[in-house]
């Protein structure tokens, strides 16, 4: 079993920046992809960004392209999400996720979530 622990998040004004991190309790070959989802109140969960741990390729939701950056550490156990130019519509609970890339958008492992609030 793998635990994912998120940190970061918080409150910021529109136009500001926040960073999230997600640490896996251990590295396994099953952690092929790691990424972030978010869910705003009353809305469905949506994928935000994903990164391939071994190859380093990444993908983003259209709504965050050019503003958010996902990257990993060399140990391949921690993934970061740098969020710039934040908008009120980015307000949501952000969840880290990990698993085989083919398991997306329903990866095997999930974190508890960290809240991001962007005020106008």
């Amino acid at each position: 079993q793998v635990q994912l622990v998120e940190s970061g998040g918080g409150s910021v004004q529109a136009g500001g920046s926040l960073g999230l991190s997600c640490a896996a309790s251990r590295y396994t070959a099953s952690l092929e992809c790691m990424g972030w989802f978010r869910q705003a109140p009353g809305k469905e969960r949506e994928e935000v960004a994903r990164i391939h741990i071994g190859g380093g390729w990444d993908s983003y939701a259209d709504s965050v392209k050019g503003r958010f950056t996902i990257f990993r550490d060399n140990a391949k156990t921690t993934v970061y999400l740098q969020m710039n130019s934040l908008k009120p519509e980015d307000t949501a609970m952000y969840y880290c996720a990990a698993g085989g890339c083919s398991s997306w958008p329903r990866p095997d492992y999930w974190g508890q979530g960290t809240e991001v609030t962007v005020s106008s």
Side-chain angles (χ1 to χ4, degrees):
Q1 191 70 6
V2 175
Q3 281 77 46
L4 302 176
V5 179
E6 300 116 332
S7 60
S11 298
V12 67
Q13 288 191 326
S17 300
L18 284 174
L20 306 180
S21 64
C22 171
S25 56
R26 63 188 181 94
Y27 173 75
T28 78
S30 64
L31 298 185
E32 188 180 23
C33 274
M34 293 182 72
W36 296 88
F37 290 76
R38 68 186 181 186
Q39 187 166 20
K43 295 188 177 181
E44 293 187 355
R45 184 177 65 197
E46 63 171 341
E47 181 178 354
V48 175
R50 177 176 25 151
I51 187 168
H52 186 274
I53 295 300
W57 59 256
D58 54 29
S59 64
Y60 297 89
D62 288 342
S63 59
V64 306
K65 279 181 181 176
R67 301 188 298 119
F68 290 12
T69 303
I70 188 171
F71 55 101
R72 55 170 170 67
D73 70 341
N74 289 335
K76 302 177 182 178
T77 58
T78 302
V79 170
Y80 306 88
L81 185 69
Q82 179 62 39
M83 304 181 292
N84 298 328
S85 301
L86 283 161
K87 304 175 181 179
E89 51 263 43
D90 294 318
T91 295
M93 186 71 78
Y94 284 70
Y95 297 92
C96 178
C101 295
S102 61
S103 68
W104 247 252
R106 287 179 291 276
D108 298 322
Y109 305 106
W110 293 85
Q112 294 298 308
T114 185
E115 193 164 4
V116 171
T117 302
V118 185
S119 58
S120 57

